[in-house]
Amino acid sequence: MFRRTPCVGICSTTFGDLVCRGCKRFAHEIVQWNAYDADQRRAVWQRLLTLRAGAVAALLRIRDEALLREQAERAGLRPDDSLAAENVLYELLQRVRWREPAVTLEALGVELAPGARLHLEALPETVLAAIDQEFYVRSLAHYERNYRIPAS
């Protein structure tokens, strides 16, 4: 179900970020990844998928999940049925932004979430950039809430 590593090749922790702007893992997780056992890796993956799905849901609403999954299959994705529809949507947007930049959200069975600061006609790369920013903010908040040591 999971790739070997969440790394997407855009690591900002080398520039001092505590949360990578690419994969959204914490700096200590990147450093220790190869020493993690399967349960530790699974826990990191689960957090990333949960935060990413929340970021997608903050901006988009899945109107027709069957259509979304059909479009994912058509694009060559083979999403596991246990993968949240929001994560399927993210992976599909990743795929179509290079192949079919003119694809509409409506054609994927998706609409804008109330209050989302996007246009329905937004290109996949614009939507992905907004999702990635929201995903980063959520990852940073998770880090701050759970790992940051308060100054004394």
Side-chain angles (χ1 to χ4, degrees):
M1 176 174 161
F2 301 121
R3 296 184 319 259
R4 193 175 68 76
T5 175
C7 181
V8 295
I10 306 170
C11 192
S12 67
T13 60
T14 57
F15 302 111
D17 286 345
L18 294 173
V19 176
C20 178
R21 292 181 183 272
C23 69
K24 314 309 186 273
R25 284 181 294 168
F26 307 142
H28 68 270
E29 292 171 336
I30 293 168
V31 170
Q32 298 170 0
W33 185 259
N34 289 330
Y36 280 0
D37 65 26
D39 289 338
Q40 290 169 308
R41 289 180 182 189
R42 198 173 0 269
V44 172
W45 272 111
Q46 192 55 54
R47 183 192 75 240
L48 293 173
L49 290 171
T50 299
L51 290 173
R52 188 174 76 181
V56 170
L59 299 171
L60 302 170
R61 293 284 182 261
I62 297 168
R63 188 176 38 74
D64 186 340
E65 186 173 342
L67 175 60
L68 171 67
R69 290 187 183 271
E70 177 185 315
Q71 293 289 13
E73 292 271 340
R74 208 176 269 160
L77 296 172
R78 302 285 180 257
D80 182 314
D81 286 340
S82 67
L83 190 62
E86 291 80 7
N87 283 311
V88 173
L89 174 56
Y90 183 87
E91 296 294 333
L92 181 56
L93 287 169
Q94 286 278 23
R95 181 72 56 100
V96 299
R97 77 175 167 164
W98 302 112
R99 293 185 176 170
E100 305 169 45
V103 72
T104 64
L105 294 174
E106 189 173 90
L108 301 178
V110 175
E111 62 190 13
L112 294 178
R117 292 187 176 131
L118 289 169
H119 296 289
L120 190 56
E121 301 82 28
L123 295 174
E125 62 260 16
T126 304
V127 175
L128 279 168
I131 291 168
D132 277 335
Q133 180 59 34
E134 179 66 22
F135 184 14
Y136 176 75
V137 167
R138 288 169 181 249
S139 293
L140 189 57
H142 185 87
Y143 180 86
E144 294 285 335
R145 190 172 47 253
N146 294 290
Y147 294 99
R148 187 65 122 187
I149 299 171
S152 33

